[in-house]
Amino acid sequence: MRPNSEGRPGRSGAGRRITRRVRLAGLAALAAAVLLAAGCSSSSSSSSSSAAATSSAASASAPATSAASSPTGAAAKADDIGITATTIKVGIIADVNNPLVPGLFQKSVNVINAWAAGLNASGGLAGRKVVVDFCDGQLNPNATSNCVIKACQNDFALVGTSANALEDLSDLDGCKNSDGKPVGIANLAAFAFPPESCDPDTYLADGIGTYCATAKQASPTSEAPVGDTLYFTAQNKGLHGIWLYDTDDPTFKLTQTPTFQAESDLGIKKDGQGFYGVSGAAPQSALTPYIQVIKASNSTFVYDDVTTSSMVLLRREAQLQGVSSVKVWECNSGCYQPQFYQQGGATVNGTYAMLLELPYTIDYTANPTLGKLVTELGGVNNLDNNSLGSFIDALLFQDAVQKVVASGATLTRASLFNVLNHDETSFNADGIIGPTNVSARATSDCEVIMQLQNGVWKRVDPVKPGTFDCNPANNAKITMSVS
């Protein structure tokens, strides 16, 4: 899936947003799935699939907002769990210590700590020091549930959640406030897929649009990110090929294939059956049948939405089999990381990836908030897509708290929910993402297309640092039954 997210139907990749369940079959499959989550981001959107094909992409720089402005003044009125006269406590649940991928989301924890330290150095939030309460989900459903219970009892909100095994949502939704009322606890998640992404107490910086409202229908309506498709079809006439989706979690077929269909509707013809399911744990030899389809059809387009390692193996097998027809090799945003080239070498040069956030490895010099974070962390190698998603969550929480305070209301879990549900209508994390209506769980039109060139990820659309392509045609609504 594709891009920051990291959490909607459509594409995701690494960084923001993908919920991997521990109900997967076998430890090998789980390990592969977790590696994808470590580098996932998601992307999706709204608009009409039919009208998008002839639209030209327009570059737009996301305007700065006050999301990360330094708070000033005396302590604001506040009364709820996790808040004292001098502190405001936030929890982060992240999978760190585990036997499969040790240290998996440690960078997300580091980012939230850096955000709090920077904020405290500027006066705190709502006149209070921000205290971060980390709880390790351990890729374990029971440990994760215990973390939610602990957060309910001790923290004002959950910020930057990076937990693959968050399966039981009842503890989120039934969390009681200081008055004993089950108002819930806000869960600002770096990544999430259904059912978590459809949970009313969960917020994503890039939502899943109409999917949740229609998920129980025979043919749900998804909002698919197709800006990359518009770019590819404009650059390469008559594209045709295959798409690969991850079979390690049953929800992925439901959420990924509608995006594939929307892309095919825009002019990328299917070769063979078009969409193929692959386990993230599949060895290179297991990818030979898909390479054979590519060779037999002289395919010109291949999109691997499985895992970063799957894309590396697919490119290696294609090279081994002498494939030379493919013009567009595309990976989910999980491939956007220095490690991708380290794993694949020159074989993976030319790979494309679509992002919904600024490309952090290069654009930190063009965005002051992102640049400050990189400096605080000690360099871009200490950041990745998922941890950037957690930082975006922190800015969203910060902005929502400041709006509660500015309204004159008492800061409580209920008043925080009120702002998140009604007033975060154009959030852009100081330009790190495009303007997004978080309150409406809407998708964003804004994206960036990257290509790996000679081992370095570079912008190809738009090329100007700090900007996005925010064409409304980048999103397409598609109603589709997936069996």
Side-chain angles (χ1 to χ4, degrees), residues 37-229:
C40 163
S41 257
S42 60
S43 135
S44 137
S45 315
S46 75
S47 188
S48 172
S49 173
S50 59
T54 58
S55 299
S56 60
S59 292
S61 179
T65 69
S66 61
S69 59
S70 299
T72 58
K77 296 182 296 182
D79 181 17
D80 217 322
I81 292 172
I83 302 179
T84 70
T86 58
T87 63
I88 179 169
K89 194 173 184 181
V90 299
I92 174 172
I93 304 174
D95 300 322
V96 177
N97 296 310
N98 66 87
L100 298 176
V101 189
L104 178 59
F105 293 128
Q106 181 62 56
K107 288 182 178 179
S108 294
V109 180
N110 297 345
V111 160
I112 296 300
N113 283 326
W115 161 74
L119 195 57
N120 291 336
S122 300
L125 183 61
R128 293 167 170 81
K129 177 182 177 181
V130 177
V131 177
V132 177
D133 182 14
F134 162 59
C135 188
D136 196 338
Q138 303 175 26
L139 289 176
N140 183 297
N142 291 331
T144 303
S145 291
N146 288 335
C147 285
V148 174
I149 294 171
K150 177 182 175 183
C152 175
Q153 297 170 343
N154 299 288
D155 302 317
F156 182 60
L158 286 167
V159 179
T161 304
S162 302
N164 284 298
L166 181 51
E167 297 179 353
D168 185 355
L169 303 176
S170 62
D171 292 320
L172 277 177
D173 302 336
C175 179
K176 295 180 180 179
N177 64 7
S178 57
D179 293 329
K181 297 179 180 179
V183 300
I185 182 171
N187 175 34
L188 284 67
F191 58 82
F193 269 157
E196 184 187 356
S197 57
C198 291
D199 181 77
D201 291 346
T202 295
Y203 300 87
L204 297 165
D206 188 55
I208 60 176
T210 59
Y211 177 80
C212 292
T214 62
K216 294 183 179 180
Q217 297 178 8
S219 297
T221 297
S222 300
E223 298 182 23
V226 295
D228 48 351
T229 304

Side-chain angles (χ1 to χ4, degrees), residues 446-475:
C446 302
E447 62 187 42
V448 180
I449 300 175
M450 306 294 291
Q451 186 182 34
L452 187 67
Q453 301 176 4
N454 297 318
V456 178
W457 284 103
K458 295 185 177 181
R459 282 173 164 266
V460 294
D461 184 52
V463 297
K464 183 180 178 181
T467 66
F468 293 94
D469 171 357
C470 293
N471 190 338
N474 288 338
N475 297 313

